[in-house]
């Protein structure tokens, strides 16, 4: 029998004991790009970033100390564009001094040789750079001419400074044909590349970016052409037990927005409390919303509990909330991905799981009452129990 590796055992331990191992910090919602698929309404001109309300370096440092005392070990700074914060290096150095593994998620815009060196000295272990395709494709997605050259320049400068670089590529209708080219480009530059076929509605409920989402048929074709686009299926996938956790959100991961609002996950930005007013440990241990959320498990899923694809499904409650207004529902991307992972075609394009393996069953009243009757995604305030 194969024993789980150290990473898997750490994940199990932190999940079981609600240790916030990995934290994501949005330093800003400002960004010089206007990516067509972006989930942040601020970058699409539908909401003005509250720049004056962003936490200061001093405020972030106090919060970082709270994270360290709570047992966190990995920290990612993101945005918007975190390089727009002139104190990014200062914050990275503080986090590194607290023995965090420090990562930065960025577009690379504005990075120069001096700053790459300063970030290395500040203890940054890796950068994840958004890359969308060939030069014409990338610039079309970002809405900014020359942005492809900027991200490739950033990758070279960071690697020269000694910082590991990975590319992150959301797969969309406009760039899926560039996937093989991107794989070759990443290999040439000695960088990892991660593809994500999930395009989610925006945080304000706007769904216009879903026009870029791959259809199930297109996703199936992409996987046949480049199998590495999807994670490899375990040799013996275990069907989740009814008592298994829904996901790590609010258990071993959490996120904080630029204004100090704590949420269970970046993909599930439902306000738990504000860290300027309430210490992190108090919210993490005592929040009624988090306590109720942690009580939910696989057995509470009204649609998915009898599905034969559960062993290979990576359903994200945040996507379900945005797409269907309920953290406990199925969602189209997860259903497509699970079907393909199981060796079949993608499922129906209809909303919700249309799996031929699905066994209908009655919805659990606990799942409904515990979630407070999740409202449509134009407002996330009622998505978790009060």
């Amino acid at each position: 029998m194969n024993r789980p590796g150290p990473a898997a055992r750490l994940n199990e331990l932190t999940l079981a004991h609600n240790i916030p191992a990995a934290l994501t910090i949005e330093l800003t919602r400002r960004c010089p790009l206007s990516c067509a698929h972006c989930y942040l309404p601020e970058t699409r001109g539908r909401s003005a970033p509250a720049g004056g309300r962003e936490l200061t370096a001093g405020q972030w440092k106090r919060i970082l100390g709270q994270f360290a005392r709570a047992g966190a070990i990995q920290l990612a700074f993101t945005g918007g564009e975190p390089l727009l914060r002139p104190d990014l290096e200062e914050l990275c150095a503080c986090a590194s001094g607290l023995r965090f593994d420090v990562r930065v998620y960025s577009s690379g815009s504005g990075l120069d040789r001096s700053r790459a060196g300063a970030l290395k000295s500040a203890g940054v272990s890796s950068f994840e750079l958004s890359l969308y395709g060939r030069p014409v494709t990338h610039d079309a997605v970002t809405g900014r001419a020359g942005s492809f050259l900027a991200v490739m320049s950033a990758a070279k400068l960071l690697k020269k400074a000694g910082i590991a670089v990975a590319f992150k590529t959301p797969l969309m209708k406009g760039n899926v044909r560039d996937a093989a080219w991107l794989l070759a480009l990443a290999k040439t530059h000695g960088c990892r590349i991660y593809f994500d076929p999930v395009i989610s509605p925006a945080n304000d409920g706007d769904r216009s970016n879903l026009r870029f989402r791959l259809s199930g048929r297109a996703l199936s074709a992409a996987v046949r052409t480049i199998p590495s686009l999807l994670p490899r299926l375990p040799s013996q996938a275990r069907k989740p037990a009814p008592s298994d956790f829904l996901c790590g959100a609010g258990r071993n991961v959490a996120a904080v927005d630029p204004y100090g609002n704590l949420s269970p996950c970046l993909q599930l930005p439902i306000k738990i409390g504000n860290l300027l007013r309430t210490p992190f440990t108090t919210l993490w241990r005592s929040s009624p919303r988090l306590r109720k959320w942690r009580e939910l498990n696989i057995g509470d899923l009204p649609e998915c509990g009898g599905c034969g694809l559960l062993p290979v499904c990576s359903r994200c409650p945040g996507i379900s909330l945005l797409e269907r207004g309920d953290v406990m529902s199925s969602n189209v991307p997860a259903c497509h991905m699970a079907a393909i992972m199981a060796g079949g075609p993608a499922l129906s394009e209809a909303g919700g799981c249309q799996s031929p393996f699905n066994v209908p069953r009655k919805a659990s009243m606990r799942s409904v009452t515990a979630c407070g009757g999740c409202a449509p995604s134009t407002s996330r305030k009622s998505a978790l129990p009060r």
Side-chain angles (χ1 to χ4, degrees), residues 3-325:
R3 293 175 59 85
R9 293 199 300 273
L10 178 63
N11 185 59
E12 292 174 1
L13 175 69
T14 54
L15 277 173
H17 296 280
N18 297 329
I19 300 171
L23 294 158
T24 303
I25 289 179
E26 288 183 293
L27 289 177
T28 182
R29 294 277 174 85
R30 295 173 290 130
C31 185
L33 307 181
S34 182
C35 296
H37 63 288
C38 187
Y39 62 89
L40 293 176
E42 291 90 342
T43 68
R44 302 297 297 151
R46 295 194 303 273
S47 176
R53 292 174 49 228
E54 291 176 5
L55 267 60
T56 66
Q59 290 170 325
W60 277 123
K61 287 178 181 180
R62 288 192 289 275
I63 291 171
L64 292 179
Q66 295 176 32
F67 291 160
R69 290 189 291 274
I73 56 178
Q74 185 184 97
L75 192 68
F77 289 113
T78 186
E81 176 49 67
L83 288 170
L84 291 177
R85 290 280 301 225
D87 52 8
L88 176 61
E89 293 89 333
E90 181 183 352
L91 293 174
C92 290
C94 175
S96 178
L98 292 168
R99 304 185 68 81
F100 285 108
D101 172 24
V102 183
R103 307 177 183 191
V104 178
Y105 302 160
S106 169
S107 69
S109 299
L111 185 76
D112 58 22
R113 181 181 305 173
S114 173
R115 201 157 192 205
L119 288 163
K120 173 63 177 178
S121 298
V124 175
S125 67
S126 65
F127 252 72
E128 295 187 8
L129 297 171
S130 299
L131 182 64
Y132 303 123
R134 298 173 188 266
V136 172
T137 304
H138 182 93
D139 289 1
V141 171
T142 65
R144 182 166 182 169
S147 58
F148 174 85
L149 294 177
V151 70
M152 293 311 300
S153 171
K156 294 173 185 176
L157 290 171
L158 290 165
K159 285 188 65 66
K160 190 171 182 179
I163 298 175
V165 174
F167 294 126
K168 295 196 299 187
T169 304
L171 279 182
M172 300 175 279
K173 291 178 180 177
N175 72 350
V176 65
R177 68 186 65 184
D178 290 350
W181 184 86
L182 286 166
L183 281 167
L185 180 72
K187 184 176 181 180
T188 297
H189 289 276
C191 301
R192 292 186 177 185
I193 185 166
Y194 305 109
F195 293 94
D196 184 359
V198 178
I199 302 298
S200 67
N203 283 357
D204 62 354
D206 185 88
R207 300 170 65 88
S208 61
N209 60 354
L210 294 189
R211 68 187 186 275
F212 304 116
R213 180 188 282 178
L214 292 179
S215 66
R217 181 176 298 178
L219 181 58
S220 295
V223 173
R224 286 196 301 271
T225 304
I226 308 174
S228 61
L229 294 180
L230 293 180
R232 189 172 297 174
L233 184 67
S235 57
Q236 290 185 330
R238 177 184 71 85
K239 183 173 182 178
S243 60
D244 282 358
F245 307 136
L246 293 177
C247 69
R251 286 186 173 275
N252 65 356
V253 301
V256 187
D257 74 11
Y259 322 113
N261 296 311
L262 177 70
S263 62
C265 174
L266 190 64
Q267 191 64 66
L268 194 64
I270 300 164
K271 184 176 177 180
I272 302 301
N274 188 280
L275 298 179
L276 294 182
R277 293 189 287 271
T278 309
F280 173 75
T281 302
T282 301
L283 289 173
W284 192 252
R285 293 178 179 173
S286 306
S287 165
R289 283 190 165 191
L290 276 183
R291 284 204 304 266
K292 199 68 176 178
W293 170 253
R294 290 166 183 162
E295 292 175 1
L296 300 174
N297 51 50
I298 294 293
D300 293 316
L301 296 174
E303 298 177 5
C304 307
C307 181
L309 296 177
L310 267 180
V312 293
C313 184
S314 56
R315 189 194 73 92
C316 170
I319 301 297
S320 294
L321 174 62
L322 284 166
E323 192 166 276
R324 301 188 64 196

